[in-house]
Amino acid sequence: MEEEMSFSDIYGGRLALQRRCYSPSCREFCLSCPRLSLRSLTAVTCTVWLVAYGLFALCENSMILSAAIFITLFGLLAYLHFVKIDQETLLIIDSLGIQMTSSYASGKESTTFIEMGDVKDIIINEAIYMLERGRQSDRLPHVPDRDPPGMPTRGRCSAHPGPHSVATRAHSSA
Amino acid sequence: MVLKAFFPTCCASADSGLLVGRWVPEQSSAVVLAVVHFPFIPIHVKELLAQVRQAGRVGVAVLGTWCHRQQEPEESLGHFLEGLRTIFSHKPWFQLCRERGSNLWSCKATRWQKPASASAPSEDQVMLIFYDQRKVLLSQLHPPAALPDCQAGGATASTRGLAAIFDTVARSEALFRSDRFNEGLVQLSHWQSEGVEASILVELAKWASGPVCLLLASLLSLISAASSCRVFKLWPLPFIWSKLSTWEQLTHRLEQLTFIFSTQKAENPSQLMRKANTLVSVLLDVTLGLALLSWLHRKDCIGQLADTLVPVADQVAEELQHLLQWLMGAPAGLKMNRALDQVLGRFFLYHIHLWISYIHLMSPFVERILWHVGLSACLGLTVALSILSDIIALLTFHIYCFYVYGARLYCLKICGLSSLWRLFRGKKWNVLRQRVDSCSYDLDQLFIGTLLFTILVFLLPTTALYYLVFTLLRLLVVTVQGVIHLLMDLINSLPLYALGLRLCRPYRLAAGAKFRILEHKAGEPLRLLMQINPLPYNRVVHTYRLPSCGCHPKHSWGSLCRKLFFGELIYPWRQRGDKQD
């Protein structure tokens, strides 16, 4: 059984949430983030190359141009491999555990599995307070939780950008 | 709880038979380890299971039946499988079924109710989780705290979470020893049933390692006995050894080699990994050292180095002389106290003159010394680097001396100034109470104190400037030595074997497991594939990091600045075993 819902993030990009129910004991939530836009890529590349050309005009050293090409290439690869997340999946298997997978634009997948025995409680956090700096949207705000103080937290997950997405936070007692 | 059955992927195409494995009631999981094929004699199966139970201390039992059949189920087979349940009673009894040639699976578990009740036995739906038996057997779960019982080797198998699965498979090695070519009483299907995995090279290495380890261990014990003999304990030799980083590095290497070639077997996997990491690190070190040696000898670098060493030392001394001349004049437009300036400047100039004479005395022997030092590179690149660091320390010894003189003078001045400043304000330092107390001074005490205070204040810029200049020079030398030590530390402590294992055999170092849902149709049981989630690289380095020499900066930036301001001597690179100030 599959359901798909569309949302949009604060920048206007399209977010898609898919909910699948494989069996009464297994569910999957999949959030797809907007892809890398050609416009932003072109803008960044043009900026870097204009700056490099300006420096080249000053210094008359062609190494600057080669360096700019390398910076653009490696920067783009690093961004695609380490920063840009395409899809996040949450798989809940009854009495086994909770699995969170992040798929990056370069194809890399990073998976975390929390065993059910380690999960103490699940809190649904519906209000995300957006601060000025964009990266704050990745981090969950401080929520006064029901656990006694001193209980270490492990394994929090948030659907990536956007205040409209539902963020879940799993407290674990490890 | 949902019932889970962990099924090895190698048995998915095996013929019908009995399922053998372990039932973990806390997890409601059944870990299937092998399939026993027909024909078999039940008593032999029970004997085999008892042997495995004793060898691995893991509760293996017959869990149910496995049926790999054609389209139409045979009636007789169905009754036969039912009959097996009475022979090998187990709660719950699993019945796994797969249609030959297709992906249609069915699995159910039957729990018998109490005999008194008249209702039919309840059947539960089972979740099938496939796992690669070979990878799970060979992998090691991190953190090892998840498997404390397995480490001890004596207690029973763990029952917590995924650790239970890994532990069960690891302890059941006795079950996997026979393959289909063995004329055994019981025919099993498991990951090694097509042929036991073995490697000639590994077997040869194991056979050869015994005598080799014995020989090398005795050689190393001779060396350590020689180095700890009483001749080397006569003062001032221990003092000199403690200051040389070469000695530290050599001792460290000797300890590591003794550890690698010890005749005792590794008690647990982490010790084995440590041995392997240390061996690879030593091998890499020696390889790099030999490469450096060949490069030095090929380009005749040693001769060139020896030729340039004395002129470079002369150049440094000359630059220092220019610097002192500048300080003795009006450095940066500041007006110094002429008399003190001349005294200090001449004192340091005389030192430099002594130093240059010493260098010229040594110059005929430099090439030979360098050649012998270059030979030491075959002991490893780290040894060569430590010798380089020591040579730099020896060549810049005069800078160190100047720094000590300047620092002591400045420290004395600051102490005097602070004490006289308190006198100026009518206070005194109470040594007993460790605090500043008020005190009434006599007139002549106040007079002399104020006079001395004024003198010290006016002499402060001169001393401070000399102190500043020589401290900066000393910090420069310390930075260069620090970079060398950092490089040595990196080579010493990087766990290369673990990193190589993570690169080539990522399933060996497991952070956990990850699950993937296989194609699912309505009405069929849920099937998952369990794969090993490898440990990230930063955690590999963090977990398997080798202990290094211990030459780390011991001060924080704040305390360093404080010490510099008050003129206390700084030793940023503490050797292991030195007492702290």
Side-chain angles (χ1 to χ4, degrees):
Chain A
M1 183 170 77
E2 207 171 301
E3 278 177 38
E4 183 160 335
M5 292 167 67
S6 277
F7 302 96
S8 62
D9 67 7
I10 55 168
Y11 303 114
R14 191 176 158 271
L15 295 175
L17 176 70
Q18 280 176 323
R19 291 185 290 190
R20 286 193 207 104
C21 182
Y22 291 103
S23 84
S25 53
C26 181
R27 275 173 199 250
E28 191 180 42
F29 298 89
C30 185
L31 187 75
S32 312
C33 307
R35 304 282 165 139
L36 183 67
S37 74
L38 194 61
R39 197 185 301 175
S40 58
L41 182 64
T42 320
V44 170
T45 315
C46 286
T47 320
V48 170
W49 284 1
L50 277 172
V51 165
Y53 196 72
L55 283 172
F56 169 69
L58 276 171
C59 309
E60 305 283 335
N61 190 354
S62 63
M63 285 295 287
I64 295 177
L65 295 175
S66 322
I69 293 174
F70 278 118
I71 288 171
T72 317
L73 268 172
F74 287 120
L76 182 67
L77 284 172
Y79 176 71
L80 290 178
H81 195 72
F82 294 110
V83 178
K84 182 80 188 72
I85 294 184
D86 261 354
Q87 204 181 60
E88 281 188 322
T89 313
L90 183 74
L91 179 67
I92 305 174
I93 308 168
D94 183 17
S95 79
L96 200 61
I98 301 175
Q99 177 170 287
M100 294 169 287
T101 313
S102 302
S103 313
Y104 291 83
S106 64
K108 172 177 114 164
E109 273 189 14
S110 121
T111 315
T112 321
F113 182 75
I114 306 174
E115 295 182 46
M116 210 47 105
D118 284 342
V119 175
K120 213 170 166 273
D121 203 353
I122 301 205
I123 296 173
I124 309 266
N125 185 356
E126 282 199 13
I128 299 181
Y129 187 83
M130 295 302 295
L131 298 178
E132 274 180 337
R133 290 165 61 197
R135 282 315 270 184
Q136 285 293 91
S137 64
D138 298 347
R139 278 179 263 153
L140 288 170
H142 181 72
V143 171
D145 50 59
R146 287 177 273 164
D147 283 326
M151 190 68 71
T153 336
R154 214 188 77 184
R156 59 188 73 180
C157 66
S158 75
H160 240 252
H164 307 282
S165 48
V166 171
T168 31
R169 183 181 183 188
H171 279 256
S172 56
S173 59
Chain B
M1 259 202 206
V2 176
L3 284 175
K4 301 174 279 281
F6 287 86
F7 194 75
T9 45
C10 48
C11 296
S13 49
D15 289 329
S16 309
L18 278 180
L19 292 170
V20 155
R22 180 188 171 205
W23 167 248
V24 186
E26 294 87 355
Q27 313 268 318
S28 294
S29 310
V31 186
V32 175
L33 294 167
V35 173
V36 175
H37 294 299
F38 311 117
F40 59 82
I41 301 174
I43 194 79
H44 291 152
V45 174
K46 288 186 182 172
E47 273 171 15
L48 173 70
L49 292 178
Q51 275 173 15
V52 175
R53 260 195 292 265
Q54 201 184 9
R57 268 169 259 239
V58 59
V60 288
V62 174
L63 297 172
T65 54
W66 161 245
C67 186
H68 194 196
R69 54 165 198 222
Q70 301 296 333
Q71 205 88 31
E72 293 85 34
E74 296 145 9
E75 276 294 324
S76 54
L77 188 65
H79 287 305
F80 174 61
L81 293 176
E82 281 292 320
L84 283 172
R85 195 207 311 222
T86 49
I87 306 172
F88 302 102
S89 55
H90 186 266
K91 267 193 274 240
W93 184 254
F94 286 85
Q95 286 162 290
L96 266 68
C97 225
R98 185 190 171 191
E99 246 185 56
R100 208 174 270 276
S102 79
N103 243 354
L104 280 168
W105 289 75
S106 88
C107 53
K108 50 188 193 225
T110 326
R111 286 185 208 262
W112 284 101
Q113 306 284 14
K114 288 195 192 136
S117 102
S119 56
S122 62
E123 280 188 0
D124 297 326
Q125 271 298 314
V126 182
M127 190 166 22
L128 263 180
I129 302 173
F130 296 102
Y131 70 96
D132 188 327
Q133 205 167 46
R134 177 173 174 269
K135 290 191 177 172
V136 169
L137 179 71
L138 293 174
S139 81
Q140 197 192 335
L141 202 60
H142 295 79
L147 300 165
D149 308 322
C150 191
Q151 297 251 322
T156 51
S158 125
T159 55
R160 272 206 72 213
L162 285 170
I165 318 300
F166 284 79
D167 203 17
T168 308
V169 180
R171 282 171 182 261
S172 315
E173 276 206 69
L175 199 61
F176 307 134
R177 277 198 204 122
S178 62
D179 55 21
R180 64 188 176 91
F181 304 106
N182 275 12
E183 298 293 331
L185 296 162
V186 181
Q187 286 298 319
L188 292 166
S189 255
H190 46 75
W191 70 280
Q192 276 192 148
S193 53
E194 292 301 314
V196 173
E197 227 182 53
S199 159
I200 292 179
L201 289 172
V202 169
E203 296 301 316
L204 277 174
K206 279 190 193 163
W207 182 82
S209 67
V212 165
C213 278
L214 208 63
L215 180 69
L216 286 169
S218 48
L219 208 69
L220 289 166
S221 61
L222 271 173
I223 297 175
S224 15
S227 69
S228 60
C229 80
R230 298 195 56 162
V231 173
F232 293 114
K233 297 258 192 293
L234 296 169
W235 198 90
L237 287 172
F239 177 74
I240 296 174
W241 299 147
S242 68
K243 293 295 167 206
L244 289 176
S245 59
T246 314
W247 183 252
E248 271 299 315
Q249 181 61 26
L250 283 171
T251 326
H252 184 65
R253 274 281 177 251
L254 190 68
E255 270 174 27
Q256 282 185 331
L257 286 171
T258 320
F259 175 64
I260 296 171
F261 294 115
S262 74
T263 43
Q264 278 176 324
K265 264 180 91 76
E267 282 150 29
N268 50 33
S270 68
Q271 223 184 41
L272 187 69
M273 284 294 280
R274 221 181 116 200
K275 271 196 179 185
N277 281 323
T278 318
L279 181 66
V280 173
S281 162
V282 166
L283 283 175
L284 179 77
D285 197 18
V286 168
T287 316
L288 287 173
L290 288 172
L292 178 72
L293 195 66
S294 71
W295 179 76
L296 281 175
H297 280 274
R298 196 181 330 144
K299 299 253 176 124
D300 192 29
C301 279
I302 293 189
Q304 288 173 5
L305 206 69
D307 287 336
T308 55
L309 199 70
V310 174
V312 160
D314 271 345
Q315 180 76 12
V316 167
E318 222 178 278
E319 291 297 320
L320 271 176
Q321 275 175 334
H322 285 312
L323 183 72
L324 282 166
Q325 300 286 359
W326 178 70
L327 282 174
M328 278 161 74
L334 294 168
K335 194 158 189 302
M336 314 289 279
N337 179 283
R338 191 141 183 82
L340 184 63
D341 213 359
Q342 295 287 320
V343 162
L344 286 175
R346 287 210 188 115
F347 179 62
F348 291 137
L349 276 171
Y350 181 62
H351 257 84
I352 293 173
H353 168 77
L354 279 177
W355 187 253
I356 291 182
S357 325
Y358 168 69
I359 293 280
H360 282 279
L361 208 71
M362 289 279 293
S363 55
F365 307 110
V366 162
E367 187 172 346
R368 201 166 299 172
I369 292 174
L370 277 179
W371 190 83
H372 285 287
V373 156
L375 270 187
S376 71
C378 62
L379 288 172
L381 185 66
T382 44
V383 177
L385 284 174
S386 60
I387 290 181
L388 179 69
S389 161
D390 285 336
I391 287 177
I392 290 176
L394 283 173
L395 284 180
T396 55
F397 189 64
H398 51 325
I399 295 179
Y400 176 65
C401 287
F402 292 168
Y403 162 70
V404 171
Y405 301 147
R408 286 271 185 245
L409 213 62
Y410 179 76
C411 184
L412 272 171
K413 180 154 277 182
I414 292 288
C415 284
L417 271 175
S418 55
S419 162
L420 290 171
W421 171 246
R422 280 182 226 118
L423 178 139
F424 204 59
R425 286 155 53 221
K427 295 195 191 296
K428 162 180 108 149
W429 174 255
N430 191 337
V431 182
L432 212 60
R433 299 267 178 121
Q434 293 288 311
R435 66 172 188 203
V436 177
D437 276 341
S438 62
C439 171
S440 60
Y441 290 100
D442 295 338
L443 196 63
D444 45 356
Q445 281 175 329
L446 277 174
F447 181 65
I448 295 181
T450 313
L451 207 66
L452 282 173
F453 177 74
T454 325
I455 293 171
L456 284 178
V457 160
F458 287 130
L459 290 179
L460 185 65
T462 316
T463 326
L465 195 69
Y466 272 90
Y467 172 64
L468 183 73
V469 167
F470 292 125
T471 309
L472 285 173
L473 282 172
R474 172 79 186 138
L475 285 177
L476 185 70
V477 171
V478 160
T479 313
V480 169
Q481 277 191 301
V483 167
I484 295 176
H485 279 266
L486 218 69
L487 195 60
M488 266 168 57
D489 221 11
L490 189 73
I491 300 176
N492 269 341
S493 66
L494 204 63
L496 288 161
Y497 177 71
L499 285 173
L501 207 62
R502 170 64 184 85
L503 195 67
C504 305
R505 304 262 187 277
Y507 58 84
R508 290 282 296 267
L509 303 170
K514 53 187 178 192
F515 295 87
R516 190 160 63 90
I517 301 200
L518 300 173
E519 51 169 307
H520 175 70
K521 295 190 195 92
E524 275 194 8
L526 186 66
R527 290 180 301 138
L528 300 163
L529 176 66
M530 182 174 93
Q531 290 166 312
I532 310 264
N533 200 12
L535 207 57
Y537 284 100
N538 55 346
R539 273 193 66 191
V540 171
V541 173
H542 182 72
T543 317
Y544 290 108
R545 211 185 152 82
L546 295 168
S548 60
C549 264
C551 305
H552 289 303
K554 290 283 188 283
H555 305 298
S556 65
W557 287 109
S559 72
L560 191 72
C561 288
R562 200 186 131 269
K563 285 198 170 196
L564 283 174
F565 185 72
F566 287 112
E568 288 169 32
L569 289 175
I570 46 168
Y571 300 100
W573 307 105
R574 276 268 173 213
Q575 308 282 16
R576 194 172 45 169
D578 268 7
K579 292 196 192 64
Q580 292 276 357
D581 269 332

